């Protein structure tokens, strides 16, 4: 397993609620190298604003890889989703998602599906919403395969989304999509809220997981609260998970502390 950290692309608006490093990229990349990280997960607002030359320069200089692109801003900015009952909105969302896949393909990175999957809407049958989502997932998985990109579905807790909340629900969707380029992410913050037993769900998810998000139960850096990261990583090793562990935390009290404290907690366990 290798360690990554989430960073905000320069076009994101700065906010305390953003779970990513938000200062200038040069200092962020330098800090990640200093504390032993090997990869960067980017929270991206618009792939068209991406500066390939600058990102590639920073990756070479500080020995990092771009490992995942977060797509939450499609939902946050446009409030369009992959399961919208409005056909034009759904098609616009799929088009945006293809741009993320194109960008990820240049780096061999993955692309996550978080809240952009959409939500259950009163008056709309739940299975109809699910079928719209599955149709979009399969279409995008086929496109991602051509770009050698894997899509990763992220179960999200009920406080942020009402659709695909538990790890078990995530596995069920992966089974229904049934495509090798459509897998699942484990996020221990959401698991801590939704799942009865984090460790049992890790065991049950063997073969489904392509990416892992880590933070403590209060959404701050690992070691800030009471999650047992030694046991979490031990369980991941037990199911032969050998992918990326990415730190996704509130930058509290500041970016420097969050980067350092996360590394101090996690690196000895790897």
């Amino acid at each position: 397993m290798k360690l990554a950290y989430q960073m905000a692309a320069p076009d994101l608006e700065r906010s305390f609620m953003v779970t990513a490093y938000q200062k200038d990229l040069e200092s962020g990349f330098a800090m990640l190298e200093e504390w032993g990280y090997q990869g960067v997960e980017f929270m991206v607002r618009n792939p068209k604003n991406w500066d390939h030359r600058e990102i590639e320069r920073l990756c070479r200089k500080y020995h990092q890889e771009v490992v995942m692109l977060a797509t939450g801003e499609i939902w946050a900015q446009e409030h369009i989703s992959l399961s919208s009952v409005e056909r034009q909105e759904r098609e616009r969302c799929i088009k945006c998602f293809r741009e993320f896949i194109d960008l990820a393909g240049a780096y061999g990175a993955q692309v996550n599906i978080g809240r952009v999957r959409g939500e259950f809407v009163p008056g709309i049958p739940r299975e109809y919403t699910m079928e719209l989502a599955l149709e979009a997932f399969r279409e995008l998985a086929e496109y991602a395969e051509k770009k050698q990109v894997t899509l990763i579905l992220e179960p999200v807790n009920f406080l942020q989304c009402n659709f695909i909340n538990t790890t078990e629900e995530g596995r069920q969707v992966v089974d229904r999509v049934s495509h090798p380029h459509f897998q699942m992410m484990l996020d221990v913050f959401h698991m801590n809220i939704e799942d009865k037993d984090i460790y049992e769900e890790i065991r049950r998810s063997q073969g489904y997981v392509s990416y892992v998000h880590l933070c403590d139960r209060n959404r701050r850096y690992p070691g800030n609260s009471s999650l047992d990261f030694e046991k979490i990583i031990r369980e991941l090793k037990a199911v032969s998970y050998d992918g990326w562990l990415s730190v996704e935390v509130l930058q509290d009290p500041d970016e420097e502390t969050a980067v350092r404290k996360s590394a101090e907690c996690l690196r000895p366990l790897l």
Side-chain angles (χ1 to χ4, degrees):
M1 287 182 277
K2 294 187 286 187
L3 195 59
Y5 198 92
Q6 189 177 82
M7 300 185 73
D11 61 353
L12 257 72
E13 294 182 7
R14 187 172 175 84
S15 168
F16 171 77
M17 296 308 295
V18 172
T19 54
Y21 185 97
Q22 297 175 78
K23 294 185 177 179
D24 70 281
L25 295 185
E26 184 90 36
S27 63
F29 269 78
M31 190 176 301
L32 295 190
E33 182 185 42
E34 177 184 358
W35 288 103
Y37 294 87
Q38 299 154 288
V40 182
E41 171 185 337
F42 267 105
M43 184 180 289
V44 180
R45 182 171 181 174
N46 186 343
K48 294 178 181 178
N49 296 333
W50 186 266
D51 187 339
H52 279 283
R53 181 175 296 179
E54 176 64 2
I55 298 301
E56 289 172 0
R57 180 187 74 81
L58 291 170
C59 285
R60 287 194 302 271
K61 182 176 180 180
Y62 297 106
H63 308 99
Q64 302 295 311
E65 298 178 47
V66 176
V67 299
M68 205 271 277
L69 301 182
T71 62
E73 292 306 307
I74 299 177
W75 172 263
Q77 289 181 95
E78 305 293 338
H79 208 69
I80 56 177
S81 75
L82 297 173
S83 61
S84 172
V85 295
E86 298 294 334
R87 181 177 178 180
Q88 288 185 334
E89 289 189 2
R90 192 167 66 253
E91 290 178 349
R92 185 155 63 97
C93 189
I94 290 172
K95 181 177 181 294
C96 290
F97 221 93
R98 286 173 179 258
E99 293 174 358
F100 273 86
I101 293 170
D102 290 340
L103 178 56
Y107 296 90
Q110 302 182 75
V111 179
N112 95 310
I113 300 175
R115 290 184 299 161
V116 73
R117 59 177 166 269
E119 58 188 3
F120 292 130
V121 178
I124 304 297
R126 291 192 167 205
E127 187 56 31
Y128 181 61
T129 297
M130 177 64 79
E131 288 299 333
L132 290 175
L134 291 172
E135 181 181 337
F137 295 163
R138 293 180 184 121
E139 177 180 338
L140 289 171
E142 291 289 336
Y143 186 78
E145 182 176 19
K146 298 174 184 177
K147 304 289 182 175
Q148 291 301 298
V149 170
T150 298
L151 304 181
I152 46 176
L153 177 66
E154 179 180 18
V156 175
N157 77 80
F158 76 100
L159 297 171
Q160 297 176 265
C161 180
N162 68 2
F163 182 30
I164 313 174
N165 303 123
T166 68
T167 304
E168 181 180 4
E169 289 169 344
R171 290 194 299 269
Q172 291 171 353
V173 172
V174 171
D175 284 339
R176 293 183 69 175
V177 173
S178 188
H179 193 286
H181 285 259
F182 188 89
Q183 297 186 39
M184 189 173 68
M185 173 196 299
L186 296 180
D187 185 314
V188 297
F189 176 74
H190 300 303
M191 296 177 77
N192 179 61
I193 294 173
E194 287 287 347
D195 295 331
K196 184 177 180 179
D197 187 329
I198 290 177
Y199 314 110
E200 178 62 23
E201 291 301 327
I202 291 174
R203 291 190 288 272
R204 290 177 177 174
S205 298
Q206 184 171 15
Y208 286 84
V209 179
S210 184
Y211 202 80
V212 175
H213 268 165
L214 297 180
C215 69
D216 222 314
R217 65 173 73 245
N218 58 5
R219 208 34 149 170
R220 289 165 174 81
Y221 58 80
N224 183 275
S225 187
S226 55
L227 282 183
D228 187 342
F229 288 95
E230 182 176 2
K231 187 172 182 180
I232 288 170
I233 290 175
R234 185 166 66 245
E235 293 292 348
L236 288 168
K237 291 179 179 178
V239 297
S240 302
Y241 178 74
D242 194 32
W244 288 95
L245 304 176
S246 181
V247 177
E248 183 195 36
V249 298
L250 295 172
Q251 305 300 291
D252 183 42
D254 53 62
E255 281 88 350
E256 292 77 10
T257 302
V259 170
R260 174 174 58 83
K261 288 286 192 178
S262 297
E264 288 176 344
C265 175
L266 298 173
R267 284 190 61 203
L269 304 179
L270 299 181

